[in-house]
Every structure is written in C-alpha cells, then in structure tokens.
Amino acid sequence: FRRMLFRASTIEYADFQCPFWDKFFKEVEGPIRESYIKDGRVKLVYRDYAFLGDESIKAAEAARCAGDQNKFWEYHDYLFSHQNGENQGAFADANLKSFAKNLGLDENSFNQCLDVGKYTQAVKDSMAVGLKAGVKGTPKGFILKGNKLINTIDGAEPLATVTAKIEAALK
C-alpha cells in the first residue's frame, strides 16, 4: 500500500454533453491524468455541472452509479467517447444502461441505481455548489494547493496552459 501525498489538487466541473469538455477531455485531461494524477502529485476531483439538459443529468447520475462499482473513471471516459450532440438521445437511459453492460458492470445493480434516481439530488447539489463557486459553463477548474486557490481553468484551455498552471501550483 502506497500512501498518496498530493501536493496540489484540481477540482473540475464538467457536463458529459459539453462539446468544449469533450475537446478538453481528448486533448488535455488524458495527458494531465497520465503526468500528474497517476503518480500522485495531483489529486483530481470531479464535480458534476450538468447544465445542458436532461441527458446531462442522467449521464452524471449514471457515472455515479458506475462509481458504486468502482468504475466511475471508466464510465466517465466511455461517456466522453460516445458524445453525440446535446440531448439527441446519445445519453438516453437505454444507452446509459448499454454502456454499463459494455463495461462489465453488474447490470441489475446499475439499472436499479439509475432507475430509482439514487444520485439525482447529488447531481443537483453539485451544480448548486458550482454555481456558488462562480461556475457558469464547462470546463471550469480550480487548482488548489492545500486549501488555497492557486489558479483556474477557464474553458477548453490548451494542454500547455493547463500544465503551466499545475506546475506553478506544485512549486
């Protein structure tokens, strides 16, 4: 067992339907996770900011249901790789359940979690906290060192920009 000693953290607010977050996911988040999160220098905290409609809310709930089976990040990645426009049916319940099946999740447990709305309120609460923090769209991130705000990520910033901000926080 290796204890992680995080030197900084990023709190990222996202909407699984957001085309800007999709760009950020494909170009920035992967390299950041590989370079900073994996080795434990930076802690990544994901927060729901499901502002683009019903499918955003359901996708966020589904990711949390996957998290009940320790598959949040796999489901997160799967959602971003299966975006197809806002509220166009890509994240309809049947598709969300199919994604869980494709990832090898326990279908009965996942489906029950999604069907009863286990995380509906939690997703709404996350958005309310984001609004209070000044989030108006996604991606939006807060880079912290301890409890001190060091910098922000505003929109789909390029990898070099986000890397420089994280590096500054690590100093």
Side-chain angles (χ1 to χ4, degrees):
F1 177 74
R2 184 177 142 218
R3 184 177 179 167
M4 297 294 212
L5 298 174
F6 302 110
R7 293 176 39 212
S9 59
T10 66
I11 299 171
E12 296 182 357
Y13 282 88
D15 184 313
F16 288 111
Q17 290 193 101
C18 178
F20 296 106
W21 232 104
D22 183 51
K23 177 180 173 48
F24 188 82
F25 168 73
K26 290 176 179 162
E27 298 174 7
V28 179
E29 186 182 287
I32 295 298
R33 282 166 57 182
E34 191 63 35
S35 298
Y36 297 99
I37 311 302
K38 194 174 186 178
D39 71 6
R41 291 184 293 159
V42 176
K43 178 181 179 181
L44 175 62
V45 179
Y46 181 91
R47 297 280 188 250
D48 298 305
Y49 196 76
F51 72 108
L52 292 174
D54 290 340
E55 287 187 43
S56 294
I57 294 167
K58 289 303 264 191
E61 290 179 49
R64 287 174 179 250
C65 290
D68 284 352
Q69 298 181 45
N70 297 314
K71 295 281 189 175
F72 172 83
W73 288 107
E74 291 89 339
Y75 201 90
H76 163 281
D77 295 354
Y78 201 90
L79 285 169
F80 278 117
S81 67
H82 288 82
Q83 261 192 5
N84 190 24
E86 297 172 22
N87 300 303
Q88 301 294 312
F91 296 154
D93 284 10
N95 288 338
L96 296 171
K97 291 174 180 180
S98 174
F99 298 164
K101 180 179 180 177
N102 292 344
L103 290 171
L105 296 171
D106 177 291
E107 292 177 68
N108 290 331
S109 177
F110 179 88
N111 293 349
Q112 181 181 10
C113 177
L114 191 62
D115 290 343
V116 301
K118 179 179 179 181
Y119 291 110
T120 303
Q121 191 59 50
V123 170
K124 290 177 181 177
D125 291 347
S126 180
M127 187 158 169
V129 170
L131 279 169
K132 264 183 126 171
V135 178
K136 293 178 176 43
T138 64
K140 177 68 176 183
F142 299 93
I143 300 171
L144 307 167
K145 187 169 189 174
N147 290 326
K148 182 180 177 193
L149 178 64
I150 303 297
N151 215 323
T152 60
I153 299 168
D154 301 296
E157 294 181 343
L159 177 61
T161 301
V162 175
T163 298
K165 291 177 180 186
I166 291 173
E167 286 292 333
L170 290 173
K171 291 183 180 176

